[in-house]
Amino acid sequence: MKKKLTVLKLSALSVALGAVLWPAMEVAHAQAVCSAVEVATGLVRPQGVVQSNLGNLIVAEAGPGTPNTGRISIVSPAGERRALLSGLPSGRADVGDPAGPAGVFMRGRTLYAAIGIGDAILAGPVPRTAIANPTPSSPLFSSVLAIHFSAEVERSTAGFVLSLADHNALALGQRVTLANGGGETITLELVANFPDWIPEPLPSLASNVRGSNPFDLVVVADQVFVTDGGRNLVWRVDAPTGSYVALTDFPRIPNPIFPVGPPTSEAVPTGIAFQDGSLMVTLLRGAPFANGTSTVMAVDPATGAQSAYISGLKTAIDTRQLRWGESSTQLVLQYSYGPAPFFGGLGAVLRFDTPAGPARVLDNCLAQPTSMAWDAKARQLYVTEIVSGRLMTLSIAP
């Protein structure tokens, strides 16, 4: 996401202001709650995770920043990792962070993957500006791919590699089938390719642009809904045709701790899930990431009408509903949890038995978590940590 997940240093003033604004709901649970345990390491900037129908975790990794080193891995519940697909679009975004494969969603034997902004835009000559990259590393940045593979491939594959020629073929609308020499195949197709950027001229730089940065996605019937953290909107894609429209966008809000940071903060939609007929979208909020400004929004998938579902959060990045018979619980993953603005603390999983709270902290010792997957049968929650490259798990009871 453009200028959204860059780790920033805190000033003493920022810490003091954050402590004043920290909701009492969270103060009551400020003590360390470290219940998650490590499942796997060695993931390279994991940003999305989903459980397959075989019980494995499918993890999307942005890679180290070297062009087109994005990867999707298969991780068993015991922590054994195998590469499913490497050579996916990736590159360093204008803020310097690697960007590539992001959110993932699996239906049957098809994996849908959001591809982030990569190096489609570059840092501009003026601070806080960006310009279009005339030679991006891939034509597939800011897109959605569908990856079809069999259960047997999932059980045993040693992996497949996507070439730049394959990127170009996909961008032209061609289906690409890969073979790995072991008699296994995997097929990819382009679902949607959003504009990498739109013009956003500024008085200081007429050529300034705003990048599109898909972060997460969910499939409902034949529609794919994609959060775009760069453009502050949700895309609705018709999967059979690839046509897309902006379903809804999220406005800026006043920055409550200005002049720490800019006068207003962007929405930065991140996680998305479908429940009870609505899309649940987490708004991380932009700099200075003031506590209490992040929300979970309920969005009508037909009209785009939106309303706040859970408010008063800090850097919410994913959400999931857990069902216990007739009752349900809402989980919210926070990228950073603590009184200070910016990213002054570790991440957390919060549990809401009602949208109004109070929130219960299930874990607040996570290192910059990015996404969650729920194993309802085992009652295990899986969480990716982007910087540490770990997959964590914690048990949750009704």
Side-chain angles (χ1 to χ4, degrees):
M1 294 176 293
K2 179 184 176 183
K3 297 181 176 69
K4 303 304 191 301
L5 292 182
T6 304
V7 178
L8 302 173
K9 294 183 179 179
L10 299 175
S11 68
L13 175 60
S14 299
V15 174
L17 286 170
V20 169
L21 291 172
W22 201 20
M25 173 183 76
E26 298 194 13
V27 171
H29 299 283
Q31 67 273 16
V33 180
C34 305
S35 56
V37 297
E38 182 182 283
V39 175
T41 60
L43 300 166
V44 186
R45 296 190 69 84
Q47 190 165 305
V49 61
V50 67
Q51 188 178 42
S52 77
N53 52 19
L54 295 184
N56 293 311
L57 289 310
I58 310 296
V59 183
E61 303 162 77
T66 307
N68 301 329
T69 53
R71 183 174 72 178
I72 292 175
S73 290
I74 301 169
V75 181
S76 74
E80 299 169 346
R81 189 200 70 82
R82 289 178 293 117
L84 172 64
L85 181 62
S86 57
L88 283 161
S90 66
R92 288 196 178 273
D94 57 318
V95 294
D97 293 333
V104 283
F105 183 90
M106 196 159 190
R107 172 185 282 177
R109 301 309 315 168
T110 298
L111 179 73
Y112 295 85
I115 304 297
I117 195 169
D119 59 12
I121 62 175
L122 305 172
V126 179
R128 298 184 180 180
T129 64
I131 57 174
N133 185 352
T135 56
S137 299
S138 172
L140 295 176
F141 291 131
S142 306
S143 69
V144 175
L145 299 179
I147 305 164
H148 312 281
F149 55 99
S150 68
E152 187 56 37
V153 164
E154 182 179 336
R155 290 188 186 100
S156 61
T157 188
F160 301 84
V161 180
L162 199 66
S163 68
L164 184 56
D166 296 326
H167 291 208
N168 291 326
L170 286 165
L172 292 173
Q174 301 173 18
R175 287 172 65 97
V176 169
T177 298
L178 305 177
N180 62 5
E184 300 171 334
T185 60
I186 189 172
T187 302
L188 294 87
E189 59 184 320
L190 180 68
V191 178
N193 203 353
F194 308 117
D196 286 345
W197 49 268
I198 58 171
E200 192 176 66
L202 296 172
S204 59
L205 185 67
S207 59
N208 185 69
V209 300
R210 175 176 287 269
S212 299
N213 195 10
F215 191 90
D216 198 7
L217 74 173
V218 66
V219 182
V220 182
D222 59 357
Q223 306 289 297
V224 185
F225 298 92
V226 187
T227 55
D228 188 328
R231 296 274 299 276
N232 295 310
L233 56 79
V234 172
W235 298 102
R236 181 174 62 202
V237 181
D238 182 71
T241 66
S243 63
Y244 56 83
V245 296
L247 172 66
T248 192
D249 58 12
F250 303 97
R252 291 172 176 261
I253 63 169
N255 170 14
I257 59 174
F258 181 75
V260 177
T264 61
S265 297
E266 297 194 22
V268 195
T270 48
I272 187 169
F274 182 72
Q275 66 185 58
D276 302 328
S278 294
L279 300 169
M280 294 295 166
V281 178
T282 53
L283 302 185
L284 182 94
R285 294 295 177 195
F289 314 98
N291 203 50
T293 60
S294 180
T295 57
V296 177
M297 302 293 291
V299 176
D300 187 312
T303 67
Q306 53 181 267
S307 60
Y309 185 71
I310 298 176
S311 302
L313 300 166
K314 170 137 186 237
T315 62
I317 199 166
D318 201 4
T319 187
R320 287 292 180 275
Q321 183 187 64
L322 311 187
R323 288 200 171 274
W324 317 106
E326 297 299 317
S327 62
S328 66
T329 290
Q330 196 76 28
L331 300 184
V332 177
L333 184 66
Q334 297 198 138
Y335 186 78
S336 176
Y337 177 85
F342 301 108
F343 300 138
L346 294 172
V349 178
L350 303 183
R351 173 174 176 164
F352 291 82
D353 291 324
T354 67
R360 190 191 320 171
V361 176
L362 302 184
D363 191 294
N364 58 6
C365 300
L366 296 165
Q368 296 175 314
T370 49
S371 61
M372 301 183 289
W374 173 240
D375 183 337
K377 184 177 180 180
R379 293 182 177 174
Q380 290 291 127
L381 183 73
Y382 293 92
V383 180
T384 53
E385 293 181 335
I386 191 168
V387 174
S388 69
R390 297 192 301 175
L391 179 66
M392 308 294 288
T393 187
L394 59 151
S395 299
I396 302 178

